[in-house]
Amino acid sequence: MKKVGLLCGREYSFPPAFIVRVNELGKKDGVAAEFAKLGGTRMGQSSGYSVIVDRISHEVEYYRGYLKHAVLQGAYVINNPFWWTADDKFFNYAVASKLGIAIPKTVLLPQKGYPTDVDITSESLHNLEYPVDWDGLLDYVGRPAILKPFSGGGWKHVYKVHNKEELLAAYDKTSPYCMTLQEFIDFDRYVRCFTFGKSDITPVHYDPKERKYLVDHNYLSSELGARIVKDAQTINEALGYEMNTIEFAVTDGVPYAIDFLNPAPDMERDRITEFYFEQVVDKMARLVIDRALHGVASFPWPRWEEMLSIGTASGFTGAPRSIAAGQSTASSQPASHSVGPSVATPGLKTK
């Protein structure tokens, strides 16, 4: 029996539906799912799971440490806890830009303040230039602009500013977070893509003002939809995410990738609609069953080094070359075990 463990927090509809679906679909292959239960992790102790789906370790530090150890013991974790720990929005904007994806102009800003339990004084910051050239930064990204955390989600601490005065007023509220200043894309269409296993992409019409998913099968032309799917696949392949949402703001026919660090995306029925909830549950269940049966340790590692020709073909530096229990080496990527691209999906008009 191969076991799938689910780590989750304040979710109510997705977890039980996901577990039931995995148990239904995986029964014939000996794959079963359950809520993972942790009570102190001994060094060298097996997790007992072939696959662990992580939807909460970004908020619970113990879980993140447990998951890293589980990988060491041979578990396949979605999403890779090592890379999730290291990644941030500014870095992945820069990677995507180098890969030819349209990205808004973005600036990483010095922090306004620091956590109270960290002993930071003026002497600690002698490398920082002062004063900051706020006018020059706004000239670069344009006005209006978006001020938002370089790591985070849930639309928290996001401000739209129109001038230097509004920028400074918003910036003064951001301590202790590190922020980015980004070009505002005045979009005519907005798309949020569910992604499964890097390459299976479901583009969805999304209203960011109402934070609402809309079932609209004719929202995108086949050409625009194909580009969005291709860009989303490239992003996931570069960063290694197998469970993610990627947001595109479209203007003048160009899809700008504006948010794609969402490794624990919202999957609750009442927010993503019944239509997409059924798709998400089914696709996630089939993904983890496949990984339980065929997963290779290196597959969820990011590949941006290789794709940018600055690293080896084995993928991200430090990616494991093999996994416990005699599985394949990382040098041979699975040819048929990734979930295939979902180009003709609801939300995407095809001819």
Side-chain angles (χ1 to χ4, degrees), residues 9-10 13 22 80-82 91 141 159 166 170 190-191 207 219 246:
R10 290 178 293 174
S13 56
V22 172
N80 181 334
F82 295 93
F91 178 79
V141 301
Y159 307 89
E166 289 185 8
Y190 198 97
V191 179
D207 183 344
Y219 187 56
I246 299 176

Side-chain angles (χ1 to χ4, degrees), residues 322-348:
S322 63
I323 192 171
Q327 293 190 23
S328 312
T329 62
S331 58
S332 58
Q333 295 291 346
S336 61
H337 297 146
S338 62
V339 179
S342 180
V343 177
T345 52
L348 174 60

Side-chain angles (χ1 to χ4, degrees), residues 201-220:
I201 311 299
T202 300
V204 181
H205 181 183
Y206 186 76
D207 183 344
K209 296 178 181 177
E210 298 291 332
R211 302 187 190 180
K212 185 177 182 180
Y213 289 84
L214 301 170
V215 180
D216 182 356
H217 302 331
N218 298 313
Y219 187 56
L220 300 174

Side-chain angles (χ1 to χ4, degrees), residues 18-135:
F18 168 77
I19 289 173
V20 167
R21 188 67 55 87
V22 172
N23 290 336
E24 290 174 348
L25 297 176
K27 185 176 181 179
K28 63 182 176 61
D29 293 313
V31 179
E34 65 183 25
F35 290 103
K37 297 294 184 182
L38 316 179
T41 303
R42 299 178 184 181
M43 189 168 58
Q45 178 183 6
S46 171
S47 70
Y49 295 107
S50 298
V51 178
I52 303 173
V53 178
D54 170 26
R55 299 185 50 76
I56 189 62
S57 76
H58 56 296
E59 295 180 349
V60 181
E61 194 169 12
Y62 164 55
Y63 292 165
R64 183 63 58 87
Y66 161 81
L67 290 169
K68 291 177 180 178
H69 183 264
V71 172
L72 184 65
Q73 303 306 314
Y76 191 106
V77 177
I78 301 172
N79 282 295
N80 181 334
F82 295 93
W83 180 242
W84 191 353
T85 300
D87 198 12
D88 64 73
K89 292 179 185 291
F90 183 69
F91 178 79
N92 60 37
Y93 288 138
V95 168
S97 179
K98 279 183 171 289
L99 290 170
I101 293 166
I103 299 293
K105 296 175 183 177
T106 308
V107 175
L108 182 65
L109 298 175
Q111 290 158 254
K112 170 64 180 179
Y114 301 87
T116 56
D117 60 346
V118 178
D119 185 18
I120 295 289
T121 68
S122 59
E123 288 79 10
S124 308
L125 304 173
H126 58 79
N127 295 100
L128 294 181
E129 292 183 343
Y130 185 84
V132 174
D133 182 11
W134 296 107
D135 288 312

